[in-house]
Amino acid sequence: MIIDGFVHQLPDADPEETREWLDSLDQIIDRAGESRARFLMARLIERARSRNIGVPASVSTPYINTIPPDQEAWFPGDEDLERRIRRIIRWNAAVMVVRANKAADGIGGHLSTFASSAALYEVGFNHFFRGKGDGTPGDHVYIQGHAAPGIYARAFLEHRLDEEHLRRFRREIGGGGLSSYPHPRLMPDFWEYPTVSMGLGPINSIYQARFNRYLHHRRLDDTSASRVWCFLGDGEVDEPETLGSISLAARERLDNLVWVVNCNLQRLDGPVRGNGKVIQELEAFFRGAGWHVIKVIWGANWDPLLARDADGVLVQKMNTTVDGEYQRFKAEDGAYVREHFFGPDPRLHRLVAHLSDEEIWALRRGGHDYRKMYAAYRAAVELRGAPVVILAKTVKGWTLGPDVEGRNATHQIKKLSNEQLRALRDRLQLQAEIPDAALAEGQEPPFYRPPLDSPEVRYLLARRRALGGPLPSRPVELRRPLLLPDHGPFAEFDAGSGVQEVSTTMAFTRLLRNLARHEAFGPRVVPIIPDEGRTFGMDALFKELRIYASEGQLYEPVDHHLLLSYKESRDGQILEEGITEAGAMASWIAAATAHATRGVPMAPFFTFYSMFGFQRVGDLVWLAGDARARGFLLGATAGRTTLLGEGLQHQDGHSHLLAAAVPVCRAYDPAFAYEVAAIVEHGLQAMFGPAPEDVFYYLTLYNENYAMPPKPAGADQGILAGLYRWAPAPQGTERQAAVLFSGPAHRAARQAQADLAAYYGVGVELWSATSYKALREEALEVERWNRLHPAAEPRVPFVTRCLSAVGGPVVAVTDYLKLVPDQVARWVPTTFVPLGTDGYGRSDTREALRRFFEVDAGHVVVAVLAALAAAGRVPAGTVADAIARYGIDPELADPRTR
Ligand SMILES: Cc1ncc(C[n+]2csc(CCOP(=O)(O)OP(=O)(O)O)c2C)c(N)n1
Ligand SMILES: [Mg+2]
């Protein structure tokens, strides 16, 4: 067999001995059967491992619990009280959703996710999750989005939330409501980590754990007492983001990371792996990647059965039953399980002959066995050297009754009749607290909360006090404030580059280096790159700032003799993430939220290939806004014509459009080095200054070299607002039009200005449009204000004020889609003509691309003249003259359609 072919390439030192061993195995299989043989093999492998003889790791184990009953940790809590607390939380979580859907039909909410995972959370809250007491940041807990009602119900029991809050579940507008899912943007004092877009919580948790190590190794924060916990669904693991970075977590030995996968075997529509076994599949994945895997499949009442399973029939049955069948068993009853699970094999049947149908029905899944979960968590926090994943088998909708438990539709059930609620109440043994009368038809089901001095609440609060305070909570207390640099690092860009031709990317890299060198501020700079450092000229920083590597550098780099060698170090500053934009974005989010999650503000700069930014990891960008991230995103090698040669998949002409949709993203398309510097300087002030704003910045950077002009006096305000006049109409001409440019389109604009003056006597002034998004947002605000203040003197949008003096048409030229400048068209007081790069990119020279997309100087000239001709300000023949002068073929189809 090829798979084990390696064995036959190794010399056999004693063939006779080998034969004896193999014969013994054959005999066992023939005499005692496969189960016995497997058992012996497992023991042999275990022994071999314990004697350190390096056998290849097996990736799967039988479908039973990883921790044997006799090795389970002692449970230190008050089990009865914790059970009662859980029951109250279950009740309030369910009532919250049911009431919300009575009050506002269709408002949604989920019952069954938390119903399946209550024990998974409660054991954490009562015994493991560290809060933020004593000024320490505690643990980072990523909660499964759809379990939010259970987390609110616990905060209610802790008297952190009141009934009024619960009544306003999913009704935030007007204040005092609870957001549907974990959204720091909507509940900034409560939620810390957005999770509900499947897969993003998991990948963020990995990079959060890794970033904690980075902070520690760089001596910026002692993170040794903080663990990262991530709860996720078994359906959620199908997102590429979920499993895509698990090998990094193992490689980095992130034993500060624990994942808890709620394996209820179901997702939204039906089973996760009806024909297979999701727990086994995940075990193999995680073990293969190098994680510690703890399976909690069966509750304690299975233990005696397994102990008596001497011939292995029970384990065999467990191994061979597929998830679709397991799901069915939980939607039936004890008699059905006896017949279909234990039934077919007489030996199995005998194993449960002493149990009643009720007792068989009560055989529990591991995720509902509180002690087993405690033992798993205890083991998880003690395991070293690798991250841990706990695979907990549960029932989706557990305790919610036969119409909900394990049903395919369970995920979306959000209403329960009062009769179903009565059954739930009985199951939770809350008859005394919720009398029948309270659940009479037509009654609103009541919440239930024992008073502060009740045993339940006192216990609950004492547990949280012992663990450092309540969770989730997001206090944003700066433990190590950040000192912003003075103008020093930015100053050199104001003078321009003289005759030296540089790109905005080069200028930014130089600025980044200046910032990192700044004594007080420098250590807070986090440069992040996904294997494109050389493309952006950032390899110059490798040697000076060094690349973070938790193990240091175990080899002498191939380029060690060079001035700019590849330098890895345990306290390196650069996060060189390799080819994972999602991973790099998750790193950026960890750094960009460190002011809140750790009280240690960091200033991250994530420079990516602009095409592989917003469109590749747009959902993470969206999440970053929710998480209140502060930092810089740099889309380098930007533009559809500036990035020459690369073609359709690489040339970005639309990330500014995608950025336009992100409310808290301040997007800029600077043309010159001083603009880049001004935006970064101001951005640092805005995000980390005395009145910090929860916004982030996006700058596009280009790789076209040209002489950087000096900063015109007084330009700062316009640079930040999005528009300023960069050059008047040339001497000897009269101003008749304006051309707005962004990024490297200034070259076409400047050439057109010169040509229009030289050939047609037309004076054009030039404006640098650094941010159409900023202009649009200001204009919309003004427009809204005017609408709502009819009696007041109308205000005039900034862009209108800027351009009203032009007195002629305005042509905008950009390396982005026409829609980008079109964002402000409504507020330009005269004719507005955008020239942009609509359509798919091509590989060719810049010159050819700009001609193709009709954004070169010739097309700017034609656009200006055509607009003037339409207004009767130049003779119509002038346009035809220009078309001929520049060799433009008027019969070519629109590039968008070519
Ligand atoms: C990216 C993304 N795609 C789809 C959804 C819609 N969705 C919400 S919950 C869910 C099923 C979740 O199943 P699972 O992860 O197993 O969670 P659980 O069973 O614990 O509820 C889906 C598809 C989403 N929230 N995010
Ligand atoms: Mg599930």
Side-chain angles (χ1 to χ4, degrees):
M1 216 206 303
I2 297 291
I3 210 119
D4 290 329
F6 76 93
V7 170
H8 302 285
Q9 298 176 42
L10 305 175
D12 189 343
D14 187 346
E16 207 169 314
E17 190 178 48
T18 308
R19 175 113 316 274
E20 278 170 25
W21 277 77
L22 295 176
D23 286 347
S24 309
L25 180 62
D26 286 340
Q27 275 175 27
I28 299 283
I29 297 170
D30 296 342
R31 184 171 51 78
E34 290 174 17
S35 294
R36 174 73 187 150
R38 262 196 300 273
F39 175 84
L40 282 174
M41 289 298 297
R43 288 301 303 268
L44 282 173
I45 290 171
E46 183 203 25
R47 173 61 57 88
R49 242 193 232 119
S50 72
R51 302 211 45 195
N52 294 323
I53 63 160
V55 266
S58 78
V59 289
S60 65
T61 63
Y63 198 63
I64 58 173
N65 295 342
T66 305
I67 303 175
D70 62 350
Q71 286 177 35
E72 283 168 18
W74 172 255
F75 176 71
D78 181 331
E79 204 174 355
D80 291 338
L81 212 44
E82 291 190 28
R83 184 179 307 110
R84 191 164 148 78
I85 288 168
R86 261 188 337 271
R87 287 174 169 165
I88 297 170
I89 292 174
R90 283 181 179 283
W91 174 260
N92 288 323
V95 167
M96 190 186 324
V97 176
V98 170
R99 282 178 69 138
N101 285 285
K102 273 204 176 134
D105 197 16
I107 206 144
H110 297 84
L111 295 165
S112 59
T113 301
F114 181 71
S116 65
S117 54
L120 313 188
Y121 288 103
E122 280 304 298
V123 79
F125 279 117
N126 285 323
H127 299 281
F128 293 95
F129 304 157
R130 299 173 68 122
K132 299 175 194 321
D134 324 325
T136 62
D139 284 352
H140 308 253
V141 186
Y142 290 70
I143 288 159
Q144 218 185 324
H146 298 77
I151 308 305
Y152 293 137
R154 166 166 256 270
F156 174 60
L157 203 53
E158 290 173 342
H159 287 246
R160 291 205 287 149
L161 295 178
D162 292 319
E163 209 171 303
E164 192 47 34
H165 292 111
L166 268 51
R167 279 207 205 110
R168 296 192 62 77
F169 172 57
R170 292 195 161 213
R171 306 190 79 173
E172 302 114 283
I173 292 172
L178 302 178
S179 59
S180 48
Y181 304 114
H183 294 306
R185 181 62 55 183
L186 303 177
M187 292 177 68
D189 303 328
F190 192 85
W191 291 116
E192 298 175 274
Y193 306 100
T195 49
V196 77
S197 177
M198 309 260 115
L200 303 191
I203 191 171
N204 281 339
S205 74
I206 290 178
Y207 283 87
Q208 178 69 54
R210 201 299 213 83
F211 192 69
N212 280 3
R213 287 281 162 79
Y214 170 91
L215 287 174
H216 199 88
H217 289 156
R218 300 203 62 229
R219 298 176 187 279
L220 292 165
D221 190 17
D222 178 357
T223 61
S224 55
S226 293
R227 182 165 275 105
V228 180
W229 301 84
C230 180
F231 289 81
L232 56 146
D234 51 356
E236 186 172 8
V237 294
D238 283 337
E239 290 287 0
E241 286 88 348
T242 306
L243 296 182
S245 295
I246 60 170
S247 61
L248 169 104
R251 207 160 55 238
E252 292 286 310
R253 301 174 202 276
L254 298 180
D255 51 16
N256 57 344
L257 176 65
V258 179
W259 276 16
V260 182
V261 188
N262 174 17
C263 298
N264 54 26
L265 315 188
Q266 290 177 244
R267 52 190 177 204
L268 196 152
D269 283 342
V272 176
R273 295 286 183 272
N275 296 319
K277 290 232 272 291
V278 70
I279 292 178
Q280 297 301 86
E281 183 182 318
L282 290 178
E283 176 187 39
F285 257 124
F286 281 98
R287 282 174 76 109
W291 288 49
H292 297 299
V293 178
I294 301 175
K295 297 196 287 191
V296 191
I297 301 179
W298 308 111
N301 44 9
W302 286 90
D303 288 337
L305 300 180
L306 279 162
R308 286 172 34 224
D309 181 33
D311 44 12
V313 277
L314 179 56
V315 173
Q316 178 69 6
K317 182 70 184 172
M318 289 169 163
N319 284 341
T320 51
T321 301
V322 295
D323 282 357
E325 293 175 287
Y326 279 120
Q327 183 191 347
R328 173 96 190 262
F329 292 139
K330 281 298 166 194
E332 297 285 347
D333 58 18
Y336 182 92
V337 177
R338 185 193 298 280
E339 188 186 338
H340 291 90
F341 184 77
F342 295 105
D345 187 318
R347 291 170 300 175
L348 261 183
H349 204 76
R350 273 199 300 281
L351 204 61
V352 291
H354 63 296
L355 299 181
S356 67
D357 285 353
E358 285 69 35
E359 285 168 320
I360 288 182
W361 183 240
L363 288 169
R364 247 188 217 173
R365 290 192 179 170
H368 300 308
D369 187 315
Y370 202 62
R371 280 175 181 255
K372 295 245 183 239
M373 285 315 300
Y374 177 86
Y377 282 37
R378 174 58 52 209
V381 299
E382 282 166 9
L383 281 166
R384 290 285 170 270
V388 181
V389 61
I390 296 171
L391 304 173
K393 186 172 178 178
T394 61
V395 178
K396 191 148 178 169
W398 203 56
T399 69
L400 295 177
D403 301 327
V404 182
E405 283 177 351
R407 299 285 162 191
N408 273 337
T410 184
H411 188 84
Q412 289 184 309
I413 294 175
K414 50 190 180 247
K415 291 182 184 172
L416 297 177
S417 66
N418 279 17
E419 194 184 322
Q420 288 171 311
L421 281 166
R422 258 195 307 278
L424 173 63
R425 177 207 59 183
D426 294 349
R427 176 118 179 226
L428 301 177
Q429 301 193 14
L430 294 172
Q431 292 90 339
E433 295 76 9
I434 323 262
D436 275 344
L439 294 174
E441 276 323 307
Q443 290 278 72
E444 282 261 73
F447 295 111
Y448 169 66
R449 177 165 74 179
L452 267 172
D453 61 358
S454 62
E456 296 90 346
V457 176
R458 277 174 36 211
Y459 181 90
L460 185 85
L461 294 180
R463 288 311 307 146
R464 286 314 311 162
R465 257 195 310 278
L467 287 160
L471 278 178
S473 86
R474 187 177 173 282
V476 192
E477 283 157 7
L478 298 194
R479 292 161 52 244
R480 292 176 173 224
L482 168 154
L483 289 172
L484 283 177
D486 51 14
H487 188 58
F490 306 94
E492 66 176 90
F493 304 97
D494 295 347
S497 65
V499 292
Q500 202 192 348
E501 301 208 325
V502 297
S503 65
T504 46
T505 304
M506 286 156 79
F508 167 74
T509 301
R510 196 170 166 88
L511 173 62
L512 188 63
R513 191 204 58 180
N514 291 358
L515 290 170
R517 278 183 184 174
H518 191 272
E519 194 179 342
F521 174 70
R524 301 300 178 93
V525 172
V526 186
I528 303 172
I529 33 178
D531 198 36
E532 290 286 356
R534 289 180 203 280
T535 316
F536 312 142
M538 288 187 176
D539 45 334
L541 303 179
F542 290 169
K543 179 83 177 269
E544 179 174 343
L545 304 184
R546 302 182 314 283
I547 292 164
Y548 171 71
S550 55
E551 292 186 286
Q553 193 161 36
L554 305 175
Y555 61 97
E556 187 173 65
V558 64
D559 55 4
H560 66 101
H561 56 289
L562 298 181
L563 192 62
L564 301 176
S565 62
Y566 196 83
K567 184 67 192 148
E568 302 192 72
S569 161
R570 196 170 150 86
D571 63 352
Q573 187 159 3
I574 300 172
L575 288 172
E576 158 61 271
E577 299 293 13
I579 311 168
T580 165
E581 281 77 13
M585 190 65 203
S587 264
W588 183 83
I589 290 167
T593 53
H595 63 281
T597 60
R598 307 224 44 98
V600 182
M602 301 293 290
F605 294 83
F606 171 25
T607 314
F608 47 82
Y609 217 118
S610 87
M611 190 67 157
F612 306 128
F614 275 74
Q615 80 167 11
R616 179 84 191 209
V617 292
D619 205 14
L620 278 162
V621 176
W622 185 255
L623 176 148
D626 187 353
R628 297 178 168 266
R630 300 174 184 166
F632 294 91
L633 297 173
L634 294 308
T637 52
R640 193 150 279 166
T641 68
T642 310
L643 176 62
L644 72 172
E646 291 288 350
L648 179 153
Q649 189 70 64
H650 287 70
Q651 293 161 340
D652 168 32
H654 56 279
S655 65
H656 275 292
L657 213 53
L658 304 177
V662 181
V664 293
C665 173
R666 294 192 175 156
Y668 286 92
D669 191 11
F672 306 121
Y674 66 79
E675 293 180 351
V676 174
I679 294 160
V680 172
E681 184 171 12
H682 176 80
L684 286 172
Q685 277 296 339
M687 295 183 290
F688 302 101
E693 297 177 76
D694 286 335
V695 295
F696 58 85
Y697 284 69
Y698 176 53
L699 281 76
T700 34
L701 303 172
Y702 297 83
N703 64 359
E704 184 165 351
N705 294 338
Y706 39 82
M708 291 295 163
K711 177 153 86 178
D716 278 346
Q717 195 229 338
I719 293 173
L720 302 172
L723 187 65
Y724 66 101
R725 198 175 72 154
W726 187 73
Q731 277 192 338
T733 63
E734 200 182 311
R735 180 184 61 199
Q736 294 176 46
V739 173
L740 317 189
F741 61 77
S742 311
H746 73 89
R747 298 187 111 174
R750 290 159 80 178
Q751 185 63 50
Q753 184 196 44
D755 288 5
L756 279 161
Y759 305 134
Y760 302 104
V762 168
V764 162
E765 64 182 22
L766 300 182
W767 291 69
S768 177
T770 49
S771 178
Y772 287 107
K773 183 175 198 267
L775 295 174
R776 175 179 172 79
E777 284 167 358
E778 193 267 352
L780 284 172
E781 258 175 54
V782 169
E783 191 175 74
R784 174 179 180 273
W785 193 91
N786 288 342
R787 189 165 60 239
L788 299 177
H789 299 83
E793 176 78 12
R795 296 177 179 171
V796 182
F798 175 73
V799 62
T800 312
R801 270 183 284 141
C802 286
L803 299 176
S804 55
V806 171
V810 174
V811 171
V813 59
T814 170
D815 215 2
Y816 278 79
L817 298 192
K818 298 178 184 73
L819 254 174
V820 175
D822 253 340
Q823 289 182 87
V824 301
R826 198 141 53 84
W827 298 283
V828 179
T830 60
T831 305
F832 184 67
V833 183
L835 298 179
T837 55
D838 300 43
Y840 282 116
R842 300 280 193 285
S843 42
D844 212 313
T845 62
R846 284 187 186 126
E847 203 185 5
L849 286 165
R850 287 171 185 172
R851 170 47 57 101
F852 176 81
F853 283 109
E854 303 176 354
V855 291
D856 62 1
H859 279 280
V860 176
V861 168
V862 169
V864 169
L865 292 175
L868 286 170
R873 306 211 3 214
V874 298
T878 323
V879 184
D881 178 82
I883 290 173
R885 173 185 301 280
Y886 292 101
I888 292 169
D889 177 357
E891 302 313 323
L892 279 177
D894 186 312
R896 190 176 46 78
T897 63
R898 275 190 257 162

